[in-house]
Amino acid sequence: MLHHHAVSGVLKELTLSLALKCLSFDFIGSSVDESSEEFGTLQIPSSWKPVVQDPSTLQIFFDYYRIMGPPLSKEALECLVRLASVRRSLFTDDPARFQFLGHLMNGTKEIIQTGEGLADHDNYHEFCRLLGRFKVNYQLSELLSVESYGEWIHLVAEFTTKSLQSWQWASSSVYYLLGLWSRLVTSVPYLKGETPSLLDETVPKITEGFITSRFNSNQADFPDDLSEDPLDNAELLQDHLEFFPYLCRYQYETSSLCIMKIMDPILQVYTERASSPMPVDANELAVIEGQISWIVHIIAAILKVRQITSCRTESQELIDAELAARVLQLSNVTDIGVHSQRYGEISKQRLDRAILTFFQNFRKSYVGDHAMHSSKLYLRLSELLGLHDHLVLLNFIVGKIAMNLKHYPQCEDVIEHTLSLFLELASGYMTGKLLLKLDSIKFIIVNHTVTPYSYFASVFVLYFGLVQRREKKGRTQSCLLDDPGPACTTLRCRVCVVVINEILALLSCSPDNVMIGLIWNCSDAAFTFDAIAMSFYCSSLHGLRCVTTPLLKFMAEFVLNKAQRLSFDSSSPNGILLFREVSKLVVAYGSSILSRPINTDIYNNKYKGIWISLIILSRALSGNYVNFGVFELYGDRALADALDVSLKMILSIPLADIFAYRKLTKAYFAFMEVLFSNHISFILNLDTNTFLNIIGSLEAGLKGLDTGISSQCASAVDNLATFYFNHVTIGEVSASPASMNFTRHIAECPNLFTEILRTLFEIVLFEDCGNQWSLSRPMLSLILINEQMFANLRIQMLASQPMDQQQRLSLCFEKLMADVTRSLDSKNRDKFTQNLTIFRREFRV
């Protein structure tokens, strides 16, 4: 008897496991992550329809959940989650789908009523996922059509409220419940009919429960690992606040009153503590700061979703003003009295980061000319705080930014968040211009030299967006206030020269950080070339002795012709002078790195500098501010030396290593595209082995998974094949040295073009390429080079296919060249691309 029960238990376990694997199978090859809330609908075969529609199928899994203990009960719920996600088209008609939905609803209702199995955390989590699927896969109108909807929605609301009260135990599970309610309330405007949704009764309780649970969470004991606190973890915070704002906006007046009712007393206490003559309990302040941080994050999240249309009513903007006024009032208090001595406390840092998040979201909704003219918010803010327009508010934000930079020099998280906010302000089209109107900004720019160096660094950040992050990778970010006006341009140039000179004077003290500063001083800047060129030219070799990589990064930013910022007069020699300095730097680095063996950390000690050098040359060669013909005409070796040393650096790296390091890969193929586009003669004049080595790397790049690199390789191959077609195949003028060398290369490797064309056809026909247009360009060029070669390749490809496919492929090939002439003009290329699209589609049917 015992043996029989044991066998039965094993059989049930295996059966349930098999069912879950069948329902988890990816039938359409979408490769989705089914652990995610966003895995969508379940695409099961149509032949399963009778089984899925049979009411006993769902009941089997509900029964399994009741009779099987953990972990098998969790697997039963997982099966139900997948069945709840079955595609709509599987059902014969709406009545069949509603019957299925009703059975799901009744099953979950019974679990909530009994609470059976929900004491197990895994069961609880999976059950929340199951509830979340109701609105992901069904419309609100469909839920209302089920007879038991009213009882079900009240039970789910009660279940959600209890979950919020047990947040620390169910924090990851509540995400799915909030997602359900968020989708329900956002569907109400589209609901037709008179059947009540009952959301007006249930949502306010959930909203209040969420706010109260977050406020009270800081009174509980935290685990030792503070990194697990959502206030310290951006991803966790996003999970907690992603859906909640939509619930608040649903009945905004009620929700806002709840927030203000909780926030006002605690804000008053915090304000009183700032000026209290009595000693203040640090633990009490830490709890208060944690509570206020949560409320500020909630307000910030509410403002973030203001961009949706239904939130732009005047009544909602007035409520936004009420909530924003409280955060702005709080911001005034955080840096005075007792609070000004707490910058080293984690709770204080969390609060200041919450305020920065509020400013970021507020800016997106209410700062800018359009926001100013359309919003009633500033009328209310003027009444409450005297902030009558967005320029005054922007000045307020800048003051907070400066305060953080001054008082948090050692707190990387706050500094990074502060600079992120300033980056958004300075890089925005409207806010960047508005910043230059602020007296505080103008004063800082003009008077920056009278401050001590420690504060000067912060001021420098404030204007130029320079940040010296102490990260492992030493990354930086930058921004620049930009105004094309002559007054601002003159001021910027004056400051730029002074700052560069001061930075160069500090090279001997802290070369790494100072050179990083020099990099980002000019990055993304519409700077005046004459103002800084000589400062850099005089210091380039000095900087090179101090640190290599930062100087290379500086030059990479310097030569980037972003938004045509490097535009010189027709009589100006600056473009040529700039490239000569580029050549000196690249040749100096290349000669140095090639002359010494690298045995350890080859990426940081060699490859990193090489890929930055390739980026420098790619940007300089494609910047359209240098007439490169001048160098050869006047016997200047700057271009030739730069190309020669770049080739030597490339050849010193095995092809496998080029593909192994992503940044190196991207820099290499970007450089190849530029070379084949603008300096193909340099490639053709190489020896045959080197030439074939480079072409082989292009063919390998075509086969790669990165469509961007594949497109760059296709462009390079197209330029190569076009050159051959124009200068060799139909060339009528006397052959140039480059074309003669090209002919010699092909003579030594006659199958070169055939293999590349074969590769391109195989990619187009047999792979899911997302860059078919790019691949079609070199294909036509290669076909027209030698049409007999194409005919032979066609025969070989037909022979490689199964017999039942050969006839269809042959017909596709016949249509491929229809109406395509022997020309490489744009119209003919477009026609071939159209034919190739049809060719691919008909073959893959």
Side-chain angles (χ1 to χ4, degrees), residues 210 216 281-282 293 487 510 596 680 714 762 839:
F210 179 92
N216 293 334
D281 187 346
S293 296
S510 180
R596 63 177 188 268
I680 195 170
E762 289 175 349
F839 172 80

Side-chain angles (χ1 to χ4, degrees), residues 568-574:
F568 307 118
D569 294 336
S570 58
S571 59
S572 172
N574 282 339

Side-chain angles (χ1 to χ4, degrees), residues 465-719:
L466 182 158
V467 53
Q468 300 174 16
R469 291 194 204 158
R470 289 175 289 273
E471 294 182 359
K472 290 182 179 179
K473 295 185 178 180
R475 290 178 177 173
T476 57
Q477 71 183 53
S478 68
C479 58
L480 180 71
L481 308 179
D482 185 21
D483 188 336
C488 181
T489 300
T490 302
L491 179 62
R492 182 169 58 246
C493 292
R494 191 184 91 200
V495 175
C496 189
V497 171
V498 173
V499 169
I500 286 181
N501 289 335
E502 291 188 26
I503 288 178
L504 295 176
L506 293 167
L507 273 171
S508 59
C509 303
S510 180
D512 289 341
N513 285 340
V514 172
M515 284 307 299
I516 290 173
L518 187 58
I519 298 165
W520 293 110
N521 186 13
C522 297
S523 66
D524 301 326
F527 54 83
T528 301
F529 180 86
D530 291 331
I532 61 176
M534 293 310 298
S535 296
F536 174 71
Y537 293 161
C538 296
S539 63
S540 60
L541 293 180
H542 177 68
L544 184 62
R545 287 195 300 270
C546 295
V547 56
T548 301
T549 301
L551 185 61
L552 292 173
K553 287 185 176 180
F554 164 79
M555 184 60 87
E557 293 294 335
F558 194 97
V559 299
L560 176 60
N561 197 10
K562 185 178 183 180
Q564 298 300 307
R565 65 181 183 182
L566 292 173
S567 179
F568 307 118
D569 294 336
S570 58
S571 59
S572 172
N574 282 339
I576 296 170
L577 293 175
L578 176 56
F579 187 81
R580 289 178 68 183
E581 295 303 319
V582 168
S583 177
K584 289 179 185 177
L585 186 64
V586 172
V587 170
Y589 173 77
S591 301
S592 172
I593 204 69
L594 293 171
S595 63
R596 63 177 188 268
I598 306 295
N599 298 321
T600 59
D601 196 2
I602 194 166
Y603 175 78
N604 284 316
N605 291 329
K606 180 178 180 181
Y607 294 167
K608 186 174 184 178
I610 290 178
W611 70 255
I612 299 173
S613 300
L614 296 180
I615 287 178
I616 293 172
L617 286 175
S618 298
R619 291 175 174 178
L621 292 173
S622 60
N624 294 323
Y625 49 79
V626 184
N627 184 344
F628 290 101
V630 170
F631 294 105
E632 184 177 1
L633 181 63
Y634 291 99
D636 192 324
R637 291 281 307 172
L639 175 62
D641 289 345
L643 294 180
D644 285 343
V645 78
S646 66
L647 180 65
K648 291 177 181 177
M649 287 191 291
I650 288 171
L651 294 177
S652 71
I653 307 174
L655 184 59
D657 283 2
I658 290 178
F659 282 99
Y661 300 98
R662 181 167 180 77
K663 290 184 178 180
L664 178 59
T665 308
K666 294 177 70 174
Y668 172 78
F669 286 108
F671 181 60
M672 286 295 111
E673 183 182 23
V674 172
L675 274 188
F676 277 81
S677 176
N678 302 330
H679 301 278
I680 195 170
S681 294
F682 173 76
I683 297 293
L684 298 177
N685 289 331
L686 298 172
D687 63 88
T688 300
N689 288 335
T690 303
F691 172 79
L692 295 179
N693 189 357
I694 292 175
I695 301 302
S697 70
L698 295 180
E699 187 173 2
L702 286 172
K703 298 176 182 178
L705 299 177
D706 191 312
T707 55
I709 290 175
S710 175
S711 297
Q712 289 175 329
C713 294
S715 174
V717 171
D718 182 40
N719 285 316

